[in-house]
Amino acid sequence: MMRVAVAGASGYAGAEAVRLLLGHPEVEIGALTAAGNAGARYGDLMPHLAPVAERVLDATEAQVLADHDAVILALPHGHSAAIAEQLGDDVAVIDCGADFRLRDEGDWTTFYDTPFAGSWPYGMPELVGAGGVKAREALRGARRIAVPGCYPTAVSLALAPGLASGVIEGGDITVVAASGTSGAGKSLKPHLLGSEVMGAMSPYGVGGVHRHTPEIEQNLSAASGSTVRVSFTPTLAPMPRGILATCSARVANDADAQSVRAAWEQAYAEEACVHLLPEGQWPRTSDVLGSNLVQVQVTLDERVGRVIAIAAIDNLTKGTAGAALQCLNLAMGLPETTGLPLVGTAP
């Protein structure tokens, strides 16, 4: 059994990590920590996590986290680096924040307001690169892993096969993605009140300013082998969980509908957590709820010469905590899907 701590356990992502760890056959849950909620009974904050309801949250301090085989950091952006540098290599650290995702310091300083902390192996095992090698090879046995963002997970897995195979071009990509309100975290914000969200959809981060933009471009450039730029528009949907990403790219001159679909089939044929749907069936956020599954569909709009790729994920599971568990398994030498739910809930 490996002993795993969760820092930031009182937030949505941290609580989702605890939920998944409770179902992991090789895990003993160690310390559960928080900042402002330190000292609180966990069940008062997360009553759905009954097996650990009587736990009292510790403060998020390095000495509390050090005595573990692994630590999942579910902290606000900019807070992980200070904790991570105090933990030795004997502790595997899986960071759900953005601190170590970006490789380019200029990208970081453009979109974030804290010092650049460097980059760690990027925790999207299924991401295919330009040479056909997937990102999981860098994750096996790694002691530090950066979990991807939720939007980049959906967008990258929707588009990467087309760029890696050359059936789509990287110079004209647009993405419109809808997210549930849990993607904004648990802090109280007027625009996230039920009375503001119910019955409404609204865009935000418009005009290339959303923080996930450089991460999406980093992933797609790795798949393409050349620089890719993306016009990304996120929207807020009246649902608590889920992301639906609708992605469009110009088809390569010699690609037809058959070769387009073949690229996605080849990329994901052996992937347990990415499901290319049968032709004519489209992803729905409700079908991946609570699961570590990505549903993907792709088609060619021959009239305008564009490929449309759509992906659905649960932003808290495959988009955050499920990816953390997937990476933890790879880091610790366990089968990749151990403890991960691969089916959604319905209705």
Side-chain angles (χ1 to χ4, degrees):
M1 299 288 285
M2 56 180 169
R3 193 161 178 262
V4 181
V6 178
S10 63
Y12 286 139
E16 182 75 349
V18 174
R19 180 181 77 87
L20 297 175
L21 289 170
L22 285 168
H24 196 298
E26 302 294 334
V27 165
E28 173 192 347
I29 296 179
L32 301 177
T33 80
N37 287 312
R41 175 183 173 272
Y42 197 43
D44 292 338
L45 303 172
M46 299 294 172
H48 65 295
L49 300 175
V52 287
E54 297 305 320
R55 294 283 198 95
V56 174
L57 290 168
D58 292 309
T60 301
E61 299 173 349
Q63 59 265 34
V64 174
L65 301 171
D67 188 24
H68 293 82
D69 298 299
V71 173
I72 294 175
L73 300 178
L75 305 175
H77 301 322
H79 288 70
S80 297
I83 290 290
E85 68 181 7
Q86 299 178 65
L87 299 174
D89 288 342
D90 58 321
V91 182
V93 181
I94 315 296
D95 182 26
C96 294
D99 292 32
F100 300 99
R101 294 173 187 162
L102 297 180
R103 292 189 289 271
D104 184 90
E105 183 173 358
D107 285 343
W108 177 268
T109 56
T110 298
F111 285 86
Y112 293 89
D113 57 3
T114 57
F116 181 61
S119 63
W120 289 353
Y122 188 71
M124 192 183 297
E126 307 90 349
L127 182 64
V128 60
V133 177
K134 293 189 175 178
R136 66 167 44 85
E137 300 310 316
L139 304 177
R140 301 185 194 279
R143 308 309 292 167
R144 300 288 188 270
I145 296 176
V147 175
C150 51
Y151 280 127
T153 296
V155 176
S156 302
L157 294 177
L159 287 171
L163 290 163
S165 65
V167 300
I168 62 174
E169 299 176 357
D172 181 13
I173 295 177
T174 61
V175 175
V176 177
S179 173
T181 56
S182 61
K186 204 177 179 185
S187 299
L188 296 176
K189 302 179 181 72
H191 72 286
L192 298 177
L193 292 171
S195 56
E196 299 288 339
V197 173
M198 289 186 296
M201 286 194 67
S202 57
Y204 66 100
V206 179
V209 300
H210 192 280
R211 286 177 167 181
H212 284 172
T213 300
E215 186 181 344
I216 292 170
E217 293 180 343
Q218 175 178 280
N219 294 349
L220 298 184
S221 296
S224 172
S226 59
T227 300
V228 171
R229 289 289 178 260
V230 176
S231 175
F232 172 51
T233 303
T235 64
L236 186 67
M239 57 186 183
R241 301 166 73 125
I243 285 178
L244 186 72
T246 301
C247 314
S248 169
R250 189 168 299 281
V251 69
N253 289 333
D254 58 348
D256 58 15
Q258 183 176 1
S259 60
V260 166
R261 184 165 181 86
W264 272 258
E265 288 177 338
Q266 181 177 353
Y268 296 138
E270 304 299 324
E271 293 294 348
C273 296
V274 184
H275 182 201
L276 178 64
L277 294 173
E279 292 187 67
Q281 184 179 349
W282 296 96
R284 303 189 305 174
T285 56
S286 58
D287 294 332
V288 296
L289 188 66
S291 80
N292 203 57
L293 187 67
V294 186
Q295 282 192 350
V296 177
Q297 183 57 281
V298 63
T299 192
L300 174 61
D301 184 342
E302 295 180 346
R303 189 178 66 85
V304 296
R306 296 188 71 83
V307 170
I308 312 299
I310 299 177
I313 65 169
D314 184 322
N315 59 295
L316 291 179
T317 314
K318 180 57 174 170
T320 311
L325 207 66
Q326 195 174 348
C327 292
L328 176 66
N329 287 333
L330 286 166
M332 305 303 284
L334 295 171
E336 189 173 323
T337 59
T338 304
L340 286 171
L342 299 179
V343 294
T345 60

PDB file of all heavy atoms in Angstrom, residues 4-22:
ATOM      1  N   VAL A   4      -0.712   8.220   0.479  1.00  0.00           N
ATOM      2  CA  VAL A   4      -0.840   9.389  -0.387  1.00  0.00           C
ATOM      3  C   VAL A   4      -1.540  10.515   0.369  1.00  0.00           C
ATOM      4  O   VAL A   4      -2.598  10.308   0.965  1.00  0.00           O
ATOM      5  CB  VAL A   4      -1.642   9.057  -1.670  1.00  0.00           C
ATOM      6  CG1 VAL A   4      -1.742  10.288  -2.573  1.00  0.00           C
ATOM      7  CG2 VAL A   4      -0.981   7.901  -2.419  1.00  0.00           C
ATOM      8  N   ALA A   5      -0.945  11.707   0.334  1.00  0.00           N
ATOM      9  CA  ALA A   5      -1.549  12.896   0.929  1.00  0.00           C
ATOM     10  C   ALA A   5      -2.174  13.747  -0.160  1.00  0.00           C
ATOM     11  O   ALA A   5      -1.748  13.727  -1.316  1.00  0.00           O
ATOM     12  CB  ALA A   5      -0.491  13.710   1.672  1.00  0.00           C
ATOM     13  N   VAL A   6      -3.190  14.519   0.213  1.00  0.00           N
ATOM     14  CA  VAL A   6      -3.817  15.469  -0.702  1.00  0.00           C
ATOM     15  C   VAL A   6      -3.769  16.842  -0.066  1.00  0.00           C
ATOM     16  O   VAL A   6      -4.363  17.075   0.994  1.00  0.00           O
ATOM     17  CB  VAL A   6      -5.278  15.085  -1.017  1.00  0.00           C
ATOM     18  CG1 VAL A   6      -5.911  16.135  -1.940  1.00  0.00           C
ATOM     19  CG2 VAL A   6      -5.355  13.707  -1.654  1.00  0.00           C
ATOM     20  N   ALA A   7      -3.053  17.744  -0.718  1.00  0.00           N
ATOM     21  CA  ALA A   7      -2.982  19.135  -0.267  1.00  0.00           C
ATOM     22  C   ALA A   7      -4.020  19.948  -1.026  1.00  0.00           C
ATOM     23  O   ALA A   7      -4.106  19.867  -2.251  1.00  0.00           O
ATOM     24  CB  ALA A   7      -1.586  19.700  -0.503  1.00  0.00           C
ATOM     25  N   GLY A   8      -4.811  20.708  -0.305  1.00  0.00           N
ATOM     26  CA  GLY A   8      -5.917  21.421  -0.935  1.00  0.00           C
ATOM     27  C   GLY A   8      -7.169  20.572  -1.000  1.00  0.00           C
ATOM     28  O   GLY A   8      -7.970  20.690  -1.924  1.00  0.00           O
ATOM     29  N   ALA A   9      -7.353  19.734   0.001  1.00  0.00           N
ATOM     30  CA  ALA A   9      -8.454  18.760  -0.013  1.00  0.00           C
ATOM     31  C   ALA A   9      -9.822  19.390   0.172  1.00  0.00           C
ATOM     32  O   ALA A   9     -10.843  18.720  -0.035  1.00  0.00           O
ATOM     33  CB  ALA A   9      -8.224  17.694   1.071  1.00  0.00           C
ATOM     34  N   SER A  10      -9.889  20.652   0.558  1.00  0.00           N
ATOM     35  CA  SER A  10     -11.198  21.283   0.761  1.00  0.00           C
ATOM     36  C   SER A  10     -11.734  21.948  -0.504  1.00  0.00           C
ATOM     37  O   SER A  10     -12.857  22.461  -0.498  1.00  0.00           O
ATOM     38  CB  SER A  10     -11.131  22.315   1.891  1.00  0.00           C
ATOM     39  OG  SER A  10     -10.237  23.372   1.560  1.00  0.00           O
ATOM     40  N   GLY A  11     -10.963  21.935  -1.604  1.00  0.00           N
ATOM     41  CA  GLY A  11     -11.439  22.461  -2.872  1.00  0.00           C
ATOM     42  C   GLY A  11     -12.066  21.364  -3.716  1.00  0.00           C
ATOM     43  O   GLY A  11     -12.017  20.178  -3.372  1.00  0.00           O
ATOM     44  N   TYR A  12     -12.648  21.755  -4.829  1.00  0.00           N
ATOM     45  CA  TYR A  12     -13.315  20.772  -5.688  1.00  0.00           C
ATOM     46  C   TYR A  12     -12.335  19.731  -6.228  1.00  0.00           C
ATOM     47  O   TYR A  12     -12.608  18.536  -6.201  1.00  0.00           O
ATOM     48  CB  TYR A  12     -13.997  21.480  -6.859  1.00  0.00           C
ATOM     49  CG  TYR A  12     -15.248  22.229  -6.497  1.00  0.00           C
ATOM     50  CD1 TYR A  12     -15.505  23.481  -7.050  1.00  0.00           C
ATOM     51  CD2 TYR A  12     -16.189  21.710  -5.625  1.00  0.00           C
ATOM     52  CE1 TYR A  12     -16.664  24.192  -6.742  1.00  0.00           C
ATOM     53  CE2 TYR A  12     -17.343  22.403  -5.305  1.00  0.00           C
ATOM     54  CZ  TYR A  12     -17.575  23.642  -5.866  1.00  0.00           C
ATOM     55  OH  TYR A  12     -18.717  24.333  -5.548  1.00  0.00           O
ATOM     56  N   ALA A  13     -11.194  20.169  -6.738  1.00  0.00           N
ATOM     57  CA  ALA A  13     -10.235  19.231  -7.322  1.00  0.00           C
ATOM     58  C   ALA A  13      -9.652  18.313  -6.249  1.00  0.00           C
ATOM     59  O   ALA A  13      -9.502  17.103  -6.457  1.00  0.00           O
ATOM     60  CB  ALA A  13      -9.121  19.986  -8.042  1.00  0.00           C
ATOM     61  N   GLY A  14      -9.311  18.893  -5.098  1.00  0.00           N
ATOM     62  CA  GLY A  14      -8.758  18.074  -4.025  1.00  0.00           C
ATOM     63  C   GLY A  14      -9.751  17.051  -3.512  1.00  0.00           C
ATOM     64  O   GLY A  14      -9.394  15.893  -3.262  1.00  0.00           O
ATOM     65  N   ALA A  15     -11.006  17.448  -3.362  1.00  0.00           N
ATOM     66  CA  ALA A  15     -12.030  16.513  -2.907  1.00  0.00           C
ATOM     67  C   ALA A  15     -12.260  15.414  -3.928  1.00  0.00           C
ATOM     68  O   ALA A  15     -12.494  14.256  -3.564  1.00  0.00           O
ATOM     69  CB  ALA A  15     -13.336  17.259  -2.628  1.00  0.00           C
ATOM     70  N   GLU A  16     -12.196  15.755  -5.212  1.00  0.00           N
ATOM     71  CA  GLU A  16     -12.339  14.725  -6.242  1.00  0.00           C
ATOM     72  C   GLU A  16     -11.177  13.742  -6.178  1.00  0.00           C
ATOM     73  O   GLU A  16     -11.359  12.530  -6.356  1.00  0.00           O
ATOM     74  CB  GLU A  16     -12.425  15.365  -7.627  1.00  0.00           C
ATOM     75  CG  GLU A  16     -12.626  14.396  -8.767  1.00  0.00           C
ATOM     76  CD  GLU A  16     -14.042  13.828  -8.870  1.00  0.00           C
ATOM     77  OE1 GLU A  16     -14.831  14.028  -7.923  1.00  0.00           O
ATOM     78  OE2 GLU A  16     -14.344  13.184  -9.894  1.00  0.00           O
ATOM     79  N   ALA A  17      -9.974  14.234  -5.896  1.00  0.00           N
ATOM     80  CA  ALA A  17      -8.831  13.339  -5.734  1.00  0.00           C
ATOM     81  C   ALA A  17      -9.054  12.386  -4.566  1.00  0.00           C
ATOM     82  O   ALA A  17      -8.762  11.187  -4.660  1.00  0.00           O
ATOM     83  CB  ALA A  17      -7.551  14.150  -5.530  1.00  0.00           C
ATOM     84  N   VAL A  18      -9.588  12.915  -3.465  1.00  0.00           N
ATOM     85  CA  VAL A  18      -9.871  12.047  -2.310  1.00  0.00           C
ATOM     86  C   VAL A  18     -10.914  11.001  -2.682  1.00  0.00           C
ATOM     87  O   VAL A  18     -10.788   9.823  -2.336  1.00  0.00           O
ATOM     88  CB  VAL A  18     -10.342  12.901  -1.106  1.00  0.00           C
ATOM     89  CG1 VAL A  18     -10.777  11.991   0.046  1.00  0.00           C
ATOM     90  CG2 VAL A  18      -9.233  13.834  -0.651  1.00  0.00           C
ATOM     91  N   ARG A  19     -11.957  11.409  -3.396  1.00  0.00           N
ATOM     92  CA  ARG A  19     -13.000  10.457  -3.817  1.00  0.00           C
ATOM     93  C   ARG A  19     -12.394   9.300  -4.615  1.00  0.00           C
ATOM     94  O   ARG A  19     -12.718   8.126  -4.371  1.00  0.00           O
ATOM     95  CB  ARG A  19     -14.057  11.163  -4.664  1.00  0.00           C
ATOM     96  CG  ARG A  19     -15.186  10.234  -5.144  1.00  0.00           C
ATOM     97  CD  ARG A  19     -16.205  10.973  -5.994  1.00  0.00           C
ATOM     98  NE  ARG A  19     -15.751  11.214  -7.352  1.00  0.00           N
ATOM     99  CZ  ARG A  19     -15.912  10.341  -8.362  1.00  0.00           C
ATOM    100  NH1 ARG A  19     -16.486   9.164  -8.154  1.00  0.00           N
ATOM    101  NH2 ARG A  19     -15.493  10.654  -9.577  1.00  0.00           N
ATOM    102  N   LEU A  20     -11.527   9.612  -5.538  1.00  0.00           N
ATOM    103  CA  LEU A  20     -10.933   8.574  -6.368  1.00  0.00           C
ATOM    104  C   LEU A  20      -9.946   7.723  -5.578  1.00  0.00           C
ATOM    105  O   LEU A  20      -9.893   6.494  -5.760  1.00  0.00           O
ATOM    106  CB  LEU A  20     -10.242   9.212  -7.576  1.00  0.00           C
ATOM    107  CG  LEU A  20     -11.159   9.981  -8.533  1.00  0.00           C
ATOM    108  CD1 LEU A  20     -10.348  10.660  -9.623  1.00  0.00           C
ATOM    109  CD2 LEU A  20     -12.208   9.066  -9.147  1.00  0.00           C
ATOM    110  N   LEU A  21      -9.180   8.354  -4.712  1.00  0.00           N
ATOM    111  CA  LEU A  21      -8.218   7.589  -3.907  1.00  0.00           C
ATOM    112  C   LEU A  21      -8.925   6.601  -2.980  1.00  0.00           C
ATOM    113  O   LEU A  21      -8.388   5.527  -2.672  1.00  0.00           O
ATOM    114  CB  LEU A  21      -7.351   8.543  -3.084  1.00  0.00           C
ATOM    115  CG  LEU A  21      -6.332   9.370  -3.869  1.00  0.00           C
ATOM    116  CD1 LEU A  21      -5.717  10.439  -2.967  1.00  0.00           C
ATOM    117  CD2 LEU A  21      -5.244   8.480  -4.463  1.00  0.00           C
ATOM    118  N   LEU A  22     -10.138   6.944  -2.530  1.00  0.00           N
ATOM    119  CA  LEU A  22     -10.894   6.023  -1.676  1.00  0.00           C
ATOM    120  C   LEU A  22     -11.235   4.723  -2.395  1.00  0.00           C
ATOM    121  O   LEU A  22     -11.459   3.695  -1.755  1.00  0.00           O
ATOM    122  CB  LEU A  22     -12.180   6.698  -1.189  1.00  0.00           C
ATOM    123  CG  LEU A  22     -12.004   7.741  -0.083  1.00  0.00           C
ATOM    124  CD1 LEU A  22     -13.278   8.549   0.104  1.00  0.00           C
ATOM    125  CD2 LEU A  22     -11.599   7.062   1.227  1.00  0.00           C
TER     126      LEU A  22
END
